[in-house]
């Protein structure tokens, strides 16, 4: 029975990812979740009390996986500048990933304070990874520099997501160039 509930919960999260990546937060509704999973709408409420609860769980499940991929790319890089480049490139490479698209849609959406706090905490973990590399490069305010660097990444993510006129590869190269010139102070 517990295994069955775990499978249904996983199916609901998978359906939520798809809905978010296809249609943003407006698409994430309990009727749509019920339809995608073949569950009764009342059954969806047995797993999640609200859309915010679905979002919180998605963040709790997906963001660490995504952050771990960024962290692994940084660990493979040799030297602080290479780590910063890996930090930017890996995040932008993940833009096409449905888990990432769902997280981006969530970040852009109307969320309750609890869900926003979870996202902020997860983002804080991502930023902490790059603070150390910036400190090694001699930045006097590595935390501030890391937050600003993440702003460049977030702007590039939005540009790619929007299907901007530029090719995603050009957006990535521009973000990397800006990041590396910027982090040299």
């Amino acid at each position: 029975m517990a295994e069955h509930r775990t499978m249904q919960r996983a199916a609901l999260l998978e359906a939520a990812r798809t809905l978010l990546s296809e249609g943003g937060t407006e698409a994430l509704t309990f009727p749509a979740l019920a339809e995608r999973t073949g569950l009764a709408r009342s059954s969806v409420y047995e797993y999640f009390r609200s859309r915010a609860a679905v979002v919180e769980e998605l963040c709790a499940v997906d963001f660490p996986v995504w952050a771990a991929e960024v962290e692994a790319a940084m660990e493979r890089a040799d030297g602080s500048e290479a780590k910063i480049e890996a930090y930017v490139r890996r995040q932008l490479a993940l833009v096409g990933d449905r888990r990432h698209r769902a997280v981006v849609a969530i970040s852009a959406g109307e969320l309750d304070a609890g869900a926003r706090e979870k996202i902020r905490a997860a983002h804080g973990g991502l930023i902490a990874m790059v603070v150390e590399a910036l400190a090694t490069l001699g930045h006097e305010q590595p935390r501030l520099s890391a937050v600003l660097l993440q702003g460049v990444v977030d702007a590039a993510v939005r540009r790619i997501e929007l299907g901007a006129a530029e090719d995603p590869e050009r957006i990535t190269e521009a973000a990397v160039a800006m990041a590396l010139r910027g982090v040299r102070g």
Side-chain angles (χ1 to χ4, degrees):
M1 184 68 190
E3 190 177 321
H4 178 68
R5 284 191 63 82
T6 304
M7 282 171 57
Q8 285 193 325
R9 187 176 207 93
L12 284 164
L13 289 176
E14 192 53 34
R17 276 182 204 102
T18 302
L19 290 166
L20 283 164
S21 67
E22 288 172 1
T25 47
E26 306 78 52
L28 181 61
T29 64
F30 278 30
L33 283 172
E35 189 183 323
R36 289 274 170 135
T37 55
L39 294 170
R41 199 184 311 181
S42 58
S43 297
V44 177
Y45 283 99
E46 287 175 31
Y47 292 91
F48 299 104
R49 67 190 182 288
S50 64
R51 276 175 15 140
V54 176
V55 164
E56 280 187 46
E57 180 123 354
L58 267 181
C59 288
V61 171
D62 289 352
F63 212 106
V65 174
W66 178 46
E69 289 184 33
V70 175
E71 190 170 16
M74 288 179 74
E75 283 171 2
R76 286 190 298 271
D78 194 22
S80 296
E81 280 193 24
K83 287 183 186 308
I84 290 161
E85 181 172 347
Y87 175 83
V88 174
R89 282 191 188 282
R90 193 67 200 128
Q91 285 189 69
L92 297 180
L94 288 167
V95 170
D97 185 297
R98 273 179 345 115
R99 287 167 315 176
H100 178 267
R101 278 216 301 275
V103 169
V104 170
I106 288 164
S107 302
E110 298 302 305
L111 296 176
D112 69 14
R116 268 200 310 274
E117 192 44 52
K118 279 200 168 67
I119 290 172
R120 243 194 315 278
H123 248 281
L126 207 51
I127 287 169
M129 290 180 215
V130 86
V131 169
E132 189 180 334
L134 289 162
T136 305
L137 286 174
H139 276 259
E140 287 177 26
Q141 293 186 287
R143 178 110 189 117
L144 174 60
S145 297
V147 170
L148 296 174
L149 174 62
Q150 186 60 43
V152 169
V153 173
D154 292 344
V157 164
R158 278 192 301 279
R159 195 102 186 125
I160 293 169
E161 287 280 334
L162 288 169
E166 307 89 359
D167 177 60
E169 189 57 38
R170 290 189 80 150
I171 296 169
T172 299
E173 293 311 316
V176 167
M178 182 170 273
L180 290 179
R181 281 200 295 271
V183 299
R184 288 183 190 126

